[in-house]
Amino acid sequence: MSIPPLMPVYPRCDVRPVEGDKCHLIDEDGTRYLDFASGIAVNLLGHSHPGLIGAIQQQAARLMHVSNLYGSPQGEALAQRLVDKTFADTVFFTNSGAEAVECAIKTARAYHQHEDGNPQRTELITFTSAFHGRTMATISASNQDKMHKGFLPLLPGFRYAEFDDLESAKAQMSDRTAGFLVEPIQGEGGIRPASQQFIEGLRALCDEHDLMLVFDEVQCGVARTGKLYAYEHYGVKPDVMASAKGIGGGFPLGACLATEKAARGMGFGAHGSTYGGNPLAMAAGTAVMDAVANDEFLAEVTEKGERLRARLEQFIGNYPELFDRVRGLGLMLGLRMKVESRPFFVHLRDNHQLLTVAAGDQTLRVLPPLVAGDAEFDEFFEKLSAGAASYDPSAA
């Protein structure tokens, strides 16, 4: 057979981790890598957090899965904590970010299909360079041709506007518009925070026309930016929000959060999931909330983010031929480069044992575990400095 046992949809590199130690990954040959990728913003507590490990171990010994045909004390408790800490009144738990966005799309459409709604409102306006997942609906919500290739026809119901351009969003509106689906801080698109004016403008349009404002906080949510969710930076509340990645700390977990008004169409039979909200996932999510959903932890993330950003801004001045600027909030930072970022990300990984993540717009994502401290930051800059000094863009 020529096809490998693992379907070859990922260009997997030669790094093969078998163990984690706080902010490091250890390869099967014993090589240690400083992990400032965090599983693409997932492992927010690092790789060996005792609270998270203990919660999963204890719950696994008691009960892992029962299906959603039964009451869920664990799910009810975690949902209540999210409701108490956010804009939301209700939560649906999923297994992934893409599923959370799917639920958010359905919630926004179902709002208008309600008996006193406007059933012709079926279109969501999304934005250039967005990434919402890899299901058919979520690739259809993106304007990126590279994700569409091989999967046409796309699903209808999406229109694309320019990110952070309110006039472009207005131009896409019609009597079929159900709402807007937007990342307040684009991740895959290059760590690009939306402007205050743009987010406030979308909220005003939704209020004026009775539309749904849907935030995709799969990557930027759960303490990553120094707030529990990034919408808090803007002082603007969405109607629906998708959350995942960090919410499980490494265990597969996502959530769709909504206000009571926004969820009016999501009654019995409107949605479902066999595994979503299982007791094991709820234990992981609860442990994450125990660790991060408090003012002290969030203030530490903010302070660490400010220090890391200041050091990065000072650092890039040493390599003006490589780096343009620093973007992002908290510990969701991006180095926009003057050359393609992917070869540099590979260079750091293969030659300096530093794990980062490439993104769009020639950006290198810096996503350390939120528990990283001075020792890890010092190691990061040692490796980054060595990598920049030894990098030859012309040879990439």
Side-chain angles (χ1 to χ4, degrees), residues 149-211:
K149 185 178 180 180
F151 304 113
L152 301 177
L154 300 178
L155 299 183
F158 301 98
R159 297 174 67 90
Y160 311 136
E162 290 294 322
F163 179 69
D164 209 26
D165 186 332
L166 191 60
E167 292 306 313
S168 178
K170 289 179 182 178
Q172 293 296 330
M173 292 177 63
S174 72
D175 61 359
R176 298 184 63 82
T177 302
F180 301 96
L181 170 60
V182 62
E183 299 163 274
I185 304 174
Q186 288 192 336
E188 301 285 337
I191 312 296
R192 299 170 62 201
S195 65
Q196 184 73 31
Q197 179 184 18
F198 179 66
I199 295 296
E200 288 182 352
L202 293 181
R203 180 71 269 174
L205 289 172
C206 289
D207 292 342
E208 180 181 356
H209 299 282
D210 192 26
L211 307 178

